Structure formats: C-alpha cells, structure tokens
Amino acid sequence: MNELELTVNRKIAASREKVFNAWLSPEMLAKFMAVPSGGTELSRVKNDPVKGGRFSIIMVTAEKEIPHAGTYLEIDPYSRLSFTWESPYSLDDSVVTIDLAEVDADTTEITLKQVKFKSEEARQGHTSGWNAILDALEEILA
C-alpha cells in the first residue's frame, strides 16, 4: 500500500460559507471541478451532499471523459468536508479532506489534503489538478 499524500493551501477572497457551499453545489462543482487543461465543457456532476451520500463528477476533454466519484465522509458546515476520491489515477481508499479557516469575513484559507496514490507520478498529477481546481474556484467566487 502506498501512503503518498499531498497538501495544497490557498487563500480565497470569499467567505467560508460561500466557499463551503460551492463544494456541495452541483452547478458550482460543474464549473470548477474540471481537468487542468484541455477541458471542452463543464463537468457533469450529480451529488447527494449528506454524510454517506455519493457524488459523481465526469470531467470532459476533447479526447475522453474522466470519471470521478466518492462518498461524503464528513460534512461540518463551513469548516470541514471529507470524502473518498475514486478516480483512474488514485487508489480506491484515497480520501480528500478540505479544511476551511476564516482569515477575515471575506477571506478563507483552504487546506486540501489527499492521501493514498498509486505512484509519485499520480500524486504530482493530483497536486497540479487540485491547484488548477482551486484556481478555478477562486475565479468563480471572485
């Protein structure tokens, strides 16, 4: 079992409530949960944002569709979100945890941690992917 992990930190100019709600809204997820480059359209998202609920995100490129899915493990409004992350590039028991800290009323610090990858290359790819996703989230919430 490979215990590789990653952590990405970002400050976003939006309230914790706004940032948190974006992670649970299918319409918002479709806009920012996309491949870092080569995306041709919005992702297709279905979710049941309750503990134990499932989500499905299909990221679309010109060449293919990349399925992602998972189960919500923890939903602590405005401070923490945790879910399994099932993708072609991560292990089945990979988990993503997103912690949100209020810097001030209009600024949120995001700490995104993902554990368990197939390889160092997969971990590096996810680091790039999560950074691109947080860039898109920041742009959408601006």
Side-chain angles (χ1 to χ4, degrees):
M1 174 98 30
N2 208 330
E3 294 298 326
L4 294 172
E5 61 182 54
L6 67 80
T7 301
V8 178
N9 293 295
R10 180 75 51 95
K11 287 183 182 170
I12 291 184
S15 70
R16 280 193 320 162
E17 181 176 358
K18 194 171 183 180
V19 173
F20 183 85
N21 289 336
W23 284 95
L24 298 181
S25 162
E27 295 79 19
M28 292 294 286
L29 284 166
K31 293 176 184 177
F32 73 86
M33 291 293 285
V35 292
S37 60
T40 56
E41 59 186 75
L42 295 178
S43 294
R44 293 192 306 276
V45 177
K46 294 179 184 175
N47 72 337
D48 181 17
V50 298
K51 184 175 180 178
R54 297 276 300 161
F55 66 85
S56 168
I57 301 167
I58 308 296
M59 297 179 186
V60 181
T61 72
E63 300 82 34
K64 61 184 173 180
E65 295 184 350
I66 306 167
H68 298 78
T71 301
Y72 292 105
L73 303 173
E74 183 178 358
I75 300 176
D76 185 1
Y78 319 130
S79 62
R80 176 174 271 194
L81 183 61
S82 182
F83 47 85
T84 61
W85 187 251
E86 303 158 16
S87 83
Y89 309 105
S90 60
L91 295 171
D92 288 344
D93 55 352
S94 184
V95 173
V96 175
T97 302
I98 300 166
D99 287 304
L100 305 176
E102 183 178 298
V103 175
D104 59 44
D106 297 317
T107 308
T108 301
E109 183 171 10
I110 298 173
T111 302
L112 183 150
K113 182 176 181 178
Q114 184 175 358
V115 296
K116 298 191 180 171
F117 295 93
K118 292 180 179 180
S119 65
E120 177 61 28
E121 181 181 16
R123 185 184 75 82
Q124 290 175 353
H126 277 79
T127 300
S128 297
W130 286 121
N131 274 299
I133 285 166
L134 293 179
D135 287 345
L137 174 63
E138 186 171 19
E139 186 176 313
I140 289 165
L141 293 178

